[in-house]
Amino acid sequence: MVVGKSAGINTNLDIEIVQKLQEKGAEVICLKQPSREKFANTLREESGFHIFIFSGHSRSEEDGTIGWISLNNSDELSIDEFNNSLRYVIDKG
């Protein structure tokens, strides 16, 4: 789970709900406002991931041609960059 820029958003309930998955045997990794480097390095960990959850701000162009997720107060990932990161994880299996 990534909790990105969340000014004005209460993400505590999102975190609580996801962490309850641990009671069912899931391993939950929660990154709170990670840097781009921390985000990328975590996705590349050998253990891999099965579910990705994002809670926080995002934005997009009015015409819908591009969008971004806000990792923290200064770092954003475009949908293309995010797609490349996910492609890496998917290719690892």
Side-chain angles (χ1 to χ4, degrees):
M1 173 177 199
V2 172
V3 179
K5 180 179 176 182
S6 54
I9 300 174
N10 183 354
T11 57
N12 293 332
L13 183 57
D14 297 339
I15 295 168
E16 255 181 61
I17 290 169
V18 171
Q19 288 181 335
K20 284 187 179 191
L21 294 172
Q22 292 176 347
E23 297 169 7
K24 305 283 185 187
E27 178 185 358
V28 175
I29 296 172
C30 183
L31 300 177
K32 294 181 180 176
Q33 298 196 14
S35 65
R36 293 171 68 91
E37 181 180 9
K38 176 68 175 172
F39 175 77
N41 289 341
T42 301
L43 280 182
R44 287 175 171 78
E45 288 180 4
E46 194 61 37
S47 60
F49 296 92
H50 295 274
I51 298 171
F52 177 83
I53 299 167
F54 178 79
S55 181
H57 287 288
S58 62
R59 64 184 180 89
S60 60
E61 294 291 337
E62 273 190 42
D63 63 5
T65 56
I66 187 69
W68 298 267
I69 61 172
S70 300
L71 293 175
N72 55 49
N73 289 334
S74 59
D75 294 323
E76 294 182 319
L77 280 181
S78 72
I79 298 304
D80 287 339
E81 291 171 312
F82 183 63
N83 187 38
N84 290 337
S85 295
L86 288 181
R87 176 60 41 209
Y88 178 86
V89 174
I90 291 168
D91 289 345
K92 283 183 16 181

